[in-house]
Amino acid sequence: MSQFDTTAPYYAAYRPGIPKEAIELLAQRVAGKEHRALLDLGSGTGQVPLALAGAMTEIDVVEQDAGMLAEADKALAGLPVTVRLHNAPAETFTPLTSYRADLVTVCRAFHWMDQDVVLSRLEDMTAPDATVAVMGDGSLWTARTAWTDALRALIQEYLGTERRAGVGKKYAAHNRPYREILAESAFGQVEEHTVAVEREWSTETVIGYLYSTSFAARPLFGERVDDFERRARALLDEHAAAGGGLIEPASFQIVLGRRG
């Protein structure tokens, strides 16, 4: 079982989107170019390709989870741009020899990858002036508000104090800043951007989001999943009523790398 088995439909429905400021920043990197090829690694359900479709002439979507890729296929169907789907890990994806991406994106997925291998392989499949963008914004596990702290404590009551990463796995934190990793690669001209985001959740969207994650997917709870959901809903309803809603302040970070 992968980290995201059973989660794809929830992921497609409940994961927060990409801030428009981030999409505008990425679109600027290929503006004015006749050929604008996007390579999205660890694409999940295709959020980034869908948001950037209007700025690209062709899109390659790379995702190793078949369920996620099926959701991406549905989301990207009918776009007026060439879209190719690849069911493969980022570490082994191999395009045609002549292929050159102008923009590479990795959103909320770089921590799952062998980062040095991925960046090394990108050297031969990117245009000389290509941009590599690594993006992310944490999760409701890492958020620090009264309601997310209470929710995390409830999850830990059922699954243990360590963050899970799918059935039988613990999450291995990657604490090294992405700017340092990119700076040591061929894409060593690095710049960072941060977009402040304030998300308003509901009890329903939080539950759906949790089931989209590797740390609180339904199978992790086993026969206790219904009991967990009942208690989580009550907790969220109580916090929403007491605090005027379920608000999550977040920072969406974009790290851009180019060749020197």
Side-chain angles (χ1 to χ4, degrees), residues 103-139:
L103 174 64
V104 180
T105 50
V106 187
C107 186
R108 299 173 179 144
F110 201 46
H111 58 286
W112 295 118
M113 299 176 183
D114 187 326
Q115 296 152 356
D116 291 338
V117 168
V118 170
L119 291 171
S120 177
R121 290 176 62 83
L122 286 176
E123 293 181 43
D124 293 330
M125 60 181 81
T126 50
D129 60 348
T131 296
V132 175
V134 179
M135 303 178 286
D137 55 355
S139 68

Side-chain angles (χ1 to χ4, degrees), residues 141-209:
W141 179 279
T142 57
R144 292 297 182 265
T145 66
W147 70 271
T148 55
D149 287 348
L151 181 63
R152 185 173 56 258
L154 180 63
I155 295 170
Q156 290 172 319
E157 181 182 331
Y158 283 80
L159 302 180
T161 56
E162 290 188 75
R163 179 175 172 175
R164 302 287 287 272
V167 175
K169 299 178 182 178
K170 303 295 185 181
Y171 180 80
H174 294 266
N175 296 321
R176 192 177 179 212
Y178 290 155
R179 65 177 180 274
E180 293 184 7
I181 297 171
L182 279 172
E184 294 177 1
S185 74
F187 308 95
Q189 295 298 312
V190 177
E191 60 184 77
E192 291 184 272
H193 301 264
T194 301
V195 178
V197 179
E198 185 175 86
R199 300 190 182 105
E200 183 173 0
W201 297 82
S202 68
T203 294
E204 196 65 36
T205 57
V206 171
I207 296 298
Y209 169 86

Side-chain angles (χ1 to χ4, degrees), residues 15-246:
R15 281 294 174 112
I18 313 301
K20 64 179 179 61
E21 294 92 340
I23 295 303
E24 291 170 356
L25 177 67
L26 295 174
Q28 289 170 6
R29 291 306 176 117
V30 295
K33 298 186 68 172
E34 182 177 355
H35 179 260
R36 302 182 302 280
L38 169 66
L39 173 60
D40 188 46
L41 301 176
S43 190
T45 58
Q47 283 189 335
V48 173
L50 184 61
L52 275 170
M56 312 310 297
T57 56
E58 58 182 283
I59 296 172
D60 282 270
V61 175
V62 178
E63 170 55 54
Q64 67 178 348
D65 185 277
M68 292 285 191
L69 197 64
E71 293 292 339
D73 190 17
K74 289 189 286 187
L76 302 173
L79 289 178
V81 61
T82 299
V83 177
R84 294 178 290 266
L85 304 177
H86 309 274
N87 190 191
E91 295 85 349
T92 62
F93 168 66
T94 305
L96 296 175
T97 304
S98 60
Y99 177 81
R100 295 293 182 271
D102 301 284
L103 174 64
V104 180
T105 50
V106 187
C107 186
R108 299 173 179 144
F110 201 46
H111 58 286
W112 295 118
M113 299 176 183
D114 187 326
Q115 296 152 356
D116 291 338
V117 168
V118 170
L119 291 171
S120 177
R121 290 176 62 83
L122 286 176
E123 293 181 43
D124 293 330
M125 60 181 81
T126 50
D129 60 348
T131 296
V132 175
V134 179
M135 303 178 286
D137 55 355
S139 68
L140 290 186
W141 179 279
T142 57
R144 292 297 182 265
T145 66
W147 70 271
T148 55
D149 287 348
L151 181 63
R152 185 173 56 258
L154 180 63
I155 295 170
Q156 290 172 319
E157 181 182 331
Y158 283 80
L159 302 180
T161 56
E162 290 188 75
R163 179 175 172 175
R164 302 287 287 272
V167 175
K169 299 178 182 178
K170 303 295 185 181
Y171 180 80
H174 294 266
N175 296 321
R176 192 177 179 212
Y178 290 155
R179 65 177 180 274
E180 293 184 7
I181 297 171
L182 279 172
E184 294 177 1
S185 74
F187 308 95
Q189 295 298 312
V190 177
E191 60 184 77
E192 291 184 272
H193 301 264
T194 301
V195 178
V197 179
E198 185 175 86
R199 300 190 182 105
E200 183 173 0
W201 297 82
S202 68
T203 294
E204 196 65 36
T205 57
V206 171
I207 296 298
Y209 169 86
L210 291 180
Y211 291 160
S212 81
T213 70
S214 63
F215 65 79
R218 286 181 61 89
L220 297 177
F221 297 93
E223 295 180 354
R224 304 176 72 195
V225 65
D226 290 338
D227 184 60
F228 165 75
E229 183 172 327
R230 176 185 58 78
R231 292 181 61 191
R233 287 182 179 276
L235 180 155
L236 292 166
D237 286 345
E238 180 180 350
H239 277 269
L246 302 172

